[in-house]
Amino acid sequence: MAAGDGEPDPAVQQRPQLQSKKVCVVGGGMAGLAAARELRREGHAVTVMEQSGDVGGQWLYDPTTTHGVVPSSAYACLRLRTPREAMSFSDFQFLPRDGPSRDPRRFPGHREVHFYLRDFCAAFGLMDAVRLNTRVVRVAPTSTTTRQRQWAVRSVRLLGGPDDDARVVFDAVVVATGQYSHPMLPSDIEGVGEWRRRQLHSHLYRTPEPFRGEAVVVVGCGDSGTDIALDLRRVAREVHLAASSEGATPAVSRMVANHGDVLRLHPRARRLHADGRVSFADGSSVVADTVIFCTGYGYSFPFLDTGGAVAVGDDGCVVGPLFEHVFPPSLAPSLSFVGVARKVLVPWFVEAQARWVAQACRGSTPTTTSAALT
């Protein structure tokens, strides 16, 4: 019997029933807040778990680096390198605002970005869904059955309290922990273990004052490397900027030339010596008090247990398999990632990802199957 003659249409029979889900978002930064907003718009019950004392993620500047976990990599001089117009969500513009602590510049500092994210959170009433000072320690499926899959989320309240160790079951989990919390050290520099003087990753850099009067080698000429080198030149005796294997860009060369009284540009750092010398690929060397590695970050999800369905590559730079950088094929749509793609305009990109996740959780848009990756 043909459809329309009393027999149900097969396409209608296979269409998923729209439903609201109980969803946990891990991370209260830009990606996590975008996910929370889109999930709520689709009618889901959302809980955002954030280990810091406020929303904002990497834009929540913390001047201290002495406690056990350092969630943010922001340093005091950090500013946007793209104009504020490009850092807006589609329906919440990043406009200059009046106030004694606001930064009206087109390329504002980290504090203004944090204010913007707090304003976004307030405008869409998201704070009641956010659990601050809450660290997620384990996320694992409660069952291997696809139809009944749920996720047990164990969290710890960092400040203690009646629910300082809780286990809650959710229908879906969105991982939105960002890209800048797992520092990567170079594997091609010899003698790192022999170096007896101070060395640190840019993740722990905040201000130049601790390096006053020192000779500092900054390894890496990316955004953080050039920012920190310029910051250090105000107080350091010498700042030696070591290029990556690709060499310095013309912009970096011009920057060094403009501050040649303190800044020096070198090729790739080759070895750290026990006597304090740092040698470079061209055979030259300098004696340094401190080495700062501005060598980037890798992915890390120590709380996530998927039984191998999602893994981080050995180099820390790839996580997968993820369809369109969002859904693990075997676990979609109950597990998703927002904000892992790099070199994108972050607000617009994570907003689009979050909208897809919210609709997929409700059953109103498809995700993928394993066959889509073959």
Side-chain angles (χ1 to χ4, degrees):
M1 183 179 295
D5 294 334
E7 188 73 18
D9 187 338
V12 174
Q13 283 185 309
Q14 295 173 10
R15 188 177 300 155
Q17 182 179 0
L18 300 183
Q19 54 185 315
S20 297
K21 299 289 182 65
K22 181 180 178 182
V23 185
C24 175
V25 177
V26 185
M30 186 172 286
L33 295 179
R37 196 268 298 267
E38 296 302 325
L39 286 162
R40 276 198 162 179
R41 282 180 165 175
E42 289 293 327
H44 301 294
V46 184
T47 300
V48 180
M49 297 190 182
E50 167 56 48
Q51 65 179 340
S52 299
D54 199 357
V55 296
Q58 291 300 322
W59 296 104
L60 176 60
Y61 174 71
D62 184 350
T64 64
T65 60
T66 55
H67 47 74
V69 176
V70 184
S72 174
S73 298
Y75 35 87
C77 68
L78 179 64
R79 289 179 59 182
L80 286 181
R81 286 177 173 256
T82 53
R84 63 166 68 227
E85 298 92 330
M87 289 295 289
S88 298
F89 291 108
S90 63
D91 55 357
F92 192 75
Q93 296 302 301
F94 190 6
L95 301 174
R97 297 202 178 192
D98 295 330
S101 300
R102 303 307 292 252
D103 184 348
R105 294 175 296 178
R106 195 180 184 203
F107 297 84
H110 58 78
R111 189 175 185 182
E112 181 70 7
V113 183
H114 179 229
F115 280 144
Y116 169 72
L117 293 175
R118 291 184 64 182
D119 292 341
F120 174 84
C121 202
F124 293 98
L126 300 177
M127 277 308 301
D128 63 333
V130 180
R131 295 183 60 189
L132 299 174
N133 299 303
T134 302
R135 182 185 302 160
V136 173
V137 294
R138 190 166 190 265
V139 173
T142 60
S143 169
T144 57
T145 305
T146 303
R147 283 183 174 274
Q148 303 297 325
R149 182 180 292 119
Q150 291 181 305
W151 296 84
V153 177
R154 180 171 167 254
S155 62
V156 176
R157 291 278 293 172
L158 299 182
L159 300 182
D163 298 321
D164 58 345
D165 191 334
R167 180 184 181 275
V168 182
V169 175
F170 291 89
D171 299 313
V173 172
V174 180
V175 179
T177 51
Q179 307 171 10
Y180 303 104
S181 59
H182 184 63
M184 297 288 286
L185 294 175
S187 59
D188 59 346
I189 298 180
E190 301 174 8
V192 172
E194 302 172 14
W195 178 263
R196 295 293 176 262
R197 302 185 182 188
R198 178 164 52 182
Q199 58 178 310
L200 66 149
H201 192 275
S202 59
H203 182 62
L204 298 178
Y205 179 87
R206 292 296 179 266
T207 65
E209 192 57 38
F211 310 94
R212 179 174 291 277
E214 291 189 356
V216 183
V217 172
V218 178
V219 178
C221 289
D223 292 348
S224 60
T226 53
D227 280 350
I228 290 172
L230 284 175
D231 203 27
L232 287 168
R233 70 176 174 81
R234 298 185 290 119
V235 301
R237 184 175 77 255
E238 303 169 5
V239 180
H240 300 272
L241 188 58
S244 64
S245 57
E246 292 80 16
T249 65
V252 171
S253 298
R254 288 194 299 271
M255 179 195 79
V256 172
N258 290 336
H259 302 283
D261 54 331
V262 177
L263 288 183
R264 306 285 189 276
L265 183 61
H266 299 270
R268 182 179 62 86
R270 188 183 64 187
R271 184 177 179 84
L272 307 186
H273 300 267
D275 61 2
R277 288 181 300 119
V278 179
S279 58
F280 304 97
D282 62 356
S284 64
S285 65
V286 298
V287 176
D289 300 293
T290 299
V291 174
I292 301 177
F293 295 103
C294 300
T295 46
Y297 296 83
Y299 296 109
S300 179
F301 311 103
F303 55 86
L304 187 59
D305 180 3
T306 63
V310 181
V312 176
D314 292 339
D315 61 357
C317 297
V318 177
V319 54
L322 295 180
F323 181 66
E324 298 292 353
H325 305 287
V326 177
F327 290 107
S330 63
L331 300 173
S334 66
L335 179 66
S336 58
F337 292 74
V338 172
V340 299
R342 298 183 176 181
K343 297 184 179 180
V344 296
L345 286 174
V346 175
W348 301 348
F349 192 82
V350 298
E351 187 178 14
Q353 288 185 317
R355 188 172 299 122
W356 185 22
V357 167
Q359 293 172 354
C361 285
R362 196 161 182 258
S364 58
T365 189
T367 53
T368 181
T369 64
S370 298
L373 296 182
T374 61

